[in-house]
Amino acid sequence: IELPTPALIGVVHLLPLPGSARHTLPMQEIVNRALVDARALREAGFDAAIIENYGDAPFTAGSLPPASVAAMTVAAHAVREETGLRIGINALRNDAQAALGIAAASGANFIRINVHTGVYATDQGVIVGRAHETLLFRTQLGSRIGIFADVAVKHARPLGEVAVRLHRGAGVRLRLGEGRLRLLGRGRPPVSRERHAGAQGQTAPVR
């Protein structure tokens, strides 16, 4: 993954997409809003942006509808072409294969997976990590797309007594994922690049 270490990564929250329960807007309006947010991240000096279908709540615990996958691909490609930012894909709630497909088609650098390993009870129901399937699909795509995996994702509890340290080892030391993300943002004090750099190696949930 061609990113500085550590990297400052922002998030572009897409408005409700085709295929979601709350979709109402034309696709061009959704793309225009995403571009506004992405340009703001670029001008603020962010290294990359994660494109999320955040407006699609309530999310499905399973596969994204085909219309949502297509819409995310269009939006992600537009952000990358317009801003030149490195981009990642997070197909909420946990559709890693859709994220990889979107990334491959749009030229994204990495994906984010909320539950990569383990079993979690979430507000969408029980979600099971499918690291083997995800890595196999990435291989089948012939892709070098990076995988950023959450450690103790928000709005979820592991089923069974699973330590965060165990998940960190499974996700990073065994190379099931290429990186961890440290949350900086809403509800927390502003963090400068210097303080962010000092946080390297710390562990925290990803939001």
Side-chain angles (χ1 to χ4, degrees), residues 49-51 72 76 87-91 98-99 102-103 106 108 110-113:
I50 296 178
I51 314 297
M72 281 194 75
I87 62 170
I89 306 295
N90 188 17
I102 294 164
S106 65
F110 61 94
I111 66 170
R112 173 185 170 188
I113 305 175

Side-chain angles (χ1 to χ4, degrees), residues 40-115:
L41 293 175
R42 181 188 61 189
E43 292 167 9
F46 280 73
D47 300 305
I50 296 178
I51 314 297
E52 285 189 349
N53 57 322
Y54 189 78
D56 286 356
F59 308 115
T60 173
S63 301
L64 263 64
S68 299
V69 174
M72 281 194 75
T73 304
V74 169
H77 182 266
V79 167
R80 187 179 68 83
E81 288 290 300
E82 173 70 22
T83 68
L85 281 170
R86 303 175 183 90
I87 62 170
I89 306 295
N90 188 17
L92 297 166
R93 176 67 154 95
N94 201 60
D95 193 344
Q97 290 200 10
L100 281 171
I102 294 164
S106 65
N109 304 86
F110 61 94
I111 66 170
R112 173 185 170 188
I113 305 175
N114 296 136
V115 179

